């Protein structure tokens, strides 16, 4: 589909569960190439979000609005692109959980895989790899204010042709990490808001030895 926002799906003030779907090849001139949700409690699980494009934020998915609380479980965000931020997904003032998700080969100006402003972002048991940020910030994740909690997550080989760090935090954003592997990111791994966390709480920097990356 093609639309100004939410090229494939638009959700407004609802709490749907979407499972076992393929959201692919959609386009938004604004935000949310594949899916756009505002003031909603989206539950997206075992779904592929791929090959979607957005003119601004959230190539794959964009969720916005205070009180939004989306949950993503066992989802794949692949080969999505955004003109400004969040190639795979963009979140604004939402409380977000990504659990057992893969975000691979997504691109944006900043926040190659994920861009999040305000709110709270939990990334648990996810793989964030081979994403790109052309502006050189947040090859994997860009955090703009608010909190980022990483657990049991791999962030590797992002922005290989550029200079973006694995995670970039701006405007007072904070980050924690436990049992994470951050490795091979062009502009640095345990730097910025992740500085000092390597070697603590089970965090490492070792080649994850992907089979097909």
């Amino acid at each position: 589909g093609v639309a100004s926002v939410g090229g494939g799906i638009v959700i407004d003030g609802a709490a749907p569960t979407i499972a076992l779907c393929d959201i692919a090849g959609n386009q938004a001139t604004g935000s949310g190439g594949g899916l756009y949700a505002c003031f909603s409690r989206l539950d997206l699980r075992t779904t592929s979000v791929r090959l979607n494009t957005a003119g601004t934020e959230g190539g794959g998915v964009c969720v916005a609005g205070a009180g939004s609380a989306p949950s993503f479980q066992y989802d794949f965000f692949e080969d999505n692109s955004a003109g400004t931020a969040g190639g795979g997904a963009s979140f604004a003032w939402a409380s977000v959980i990504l659990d057992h998700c893969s975000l691979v080969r997504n691109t944006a100006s900043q926040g190659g895989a994920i861009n999040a402003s305000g709110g709270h972002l939990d990334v648990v048991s996810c793989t964030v790899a081979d994403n790109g940020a052309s502006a050189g910030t947040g090859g994997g994740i860009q955090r703009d204010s608010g909190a980022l909690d990483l657990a049991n997550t791999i962030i590797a080989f992002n922005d290989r042709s550029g200079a973006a760090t694995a995670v970039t935090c701006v405007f007072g954003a904070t980050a924690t990490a436990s049992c994470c592997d951050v490795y091979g990111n062009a502009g640095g791994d345990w730097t910025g808001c992740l500085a000092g966390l390597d070697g603590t709480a089970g965090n490492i920097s070792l080649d994850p030895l992907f089979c097909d990356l």
Side-chain angles (χ1 to χ4, degrees):
V2 178
S4 57
V5 296
I9 300 170
V10 174
I11 300 164
D12 187 355
T17 295
I18 299 174
L20 298 170
C21 291
D22 184 19
I23 302 172
N26 302 287
Q27 180 180 353
T29 55
S31 303
L35 181 152
Y36 179 85
C38 59
F39 304 106
S40 299
R41 301 179 68 88
L42 166 69
D43 182 0
L44 188 72
R45 53 181 74 177
T46 53
T47 286
S48 176
V49 182
R50 59 190 179 88
L51 299 169
N52 302 286
T53 61
T56 56
E57 299 182 4
V61 169
C62 181
V63 180
S68 293
S71 172
F72 302 88
Q73 296 179 294
Y74 295 93
D75 297 318
F76 295 88
F77 296 80
E78 299 177 345
D79 300 302
N80 302 287
S81 63
T84 58
S90 181
F91 307 112
W93 306 107
S95 296
V96 184
I97 298 174
L98 287 98
D99 181 11
H100 286 87
C101 293
S102 295
L103 299 102
V104 180
R105 295 186 305 275
N106 302 286
T107 58
S109 178
Q110 57 190 22
I114 300 170
N115 182 78
S117 302
H120 195 281
L121 175 61
D122 284 307
V123 181
V124 181
S125 300
C126 292
T127 297
V128 181
D130 201 20
N131 302 282
S134 60
T137 60
I141 300 172
Q142 170 109 345
R143 195 67 178 95
D144 181 350
S145 70
L148 167 64
D149 292 329
L150 301 167
N152 303 95
T153 287
I154 297 171
I155 304 176
F157 305 119
N158 293 288
D159 209 35
R160 288 199 236 201
S161 61
T165 59
V167 175
T168 299
C169 295
V170 296
F171 299 113
T174 61
T176 66
S178 62
C179 299
C180 293
D181 184 7
V182 183
Y183 177 87
N185 300 281
D189 299 318
W190 295 99
T191 61
C193 55
L194 297 184
L197 299 179
D198 185 16
T200 69
N203 295 315
I204 59 175
S205 186
L206 295 173
D207 190 340
L209 300 175
F210 295 129
C211 291
D212 58 355
L213 250 181

